[in-house]
Amino acid sequence: MASAGNLALLRELGAETALDYRTAELAALGQSFDVVLDTFGALSVRQARALLRPGGVFVPLNFGLREIVAALWPCSRRRVKIHVNADRAEDLEALQRLWAEGRHKRGVVVLCMGG
């Protein structure tokens, strides 16, 4: 997901589906996912859990008290994981290599939201 102006870039990067985060209704997709990675803080824990399969994980990179509480108090089979570390180009390159090698899993949604 991205702003409307960046949807073409997502498609160039190989996204199966590119959605405008301002207008997309994620619940209307009718899909569930193993992982929801929210890089912008656009989803609430409730919204993310509604998108997850049982055993799925919500990983908010921009989180606050609600996400911390949800991570510490796992009350469902749809978990919240938080982690803090520095952004490193090497890590993104490693993810890109895994994707290029076809070693990703189906059912993963990556929310890359922002301007």
Side-chain angles (χ1 to χ4, degrees):
M1 296 186 77
S3 63
N6 287 322
L7 295 179
L9 173 62
L10 291 183
R11 289 184 192 99
E12 286 176 28
L13 293 172
E16 286 181 24
T17 305
L19 301 170
D20 182 342
Y21 74 89
R22 293 181 185 120
T23 60
E25 290 291 330
L26 294 176
L29 290 175
Q31 294 178 300
S32 58
F33 304 94
D34 298 313
V35 177
V36 173
L37 174 64
D38 185 352
T39 65
F40 192 69
L43 292 177
S44 69
V45 171
R46 176 179 279 174
Q47 290 170 314
R49 282 186 170 153
L51 294 169
L52 291 170
R53 293 182 178 128
V57 179
F58 173 43
V59 183
L61 299 186
N62 183 358
F63 56 86
L65 184 58
R66 287 185 180 164
E67 291 80 13
I68 293 170
V69 169
L72 294 174
W73 188 14
C75 60
S76 83
R77 291 180 49 207
R78 293 166 179 93
R79 299 167 291 151
V80 176
K81 295 280 188 172
I82 57 175
H83 182 73
V84 179
N85 72 334
D87 293 333
R88 296 179 349 158
E90 300 85 24
D91 295 334
L92 293 176
E93 290 166 358
L95 286 173
Q96 190 277 333
R97 276 193 308 277
L98 290 173
W99 186 266
E101 293 168 4
R103 294 173 51 195
H104 63 285
K105 292 185 178 182
R106 287 193 64 166
V108 174
V109 63
V110 176
L111 302 179
C112 298
M113 300 183 174

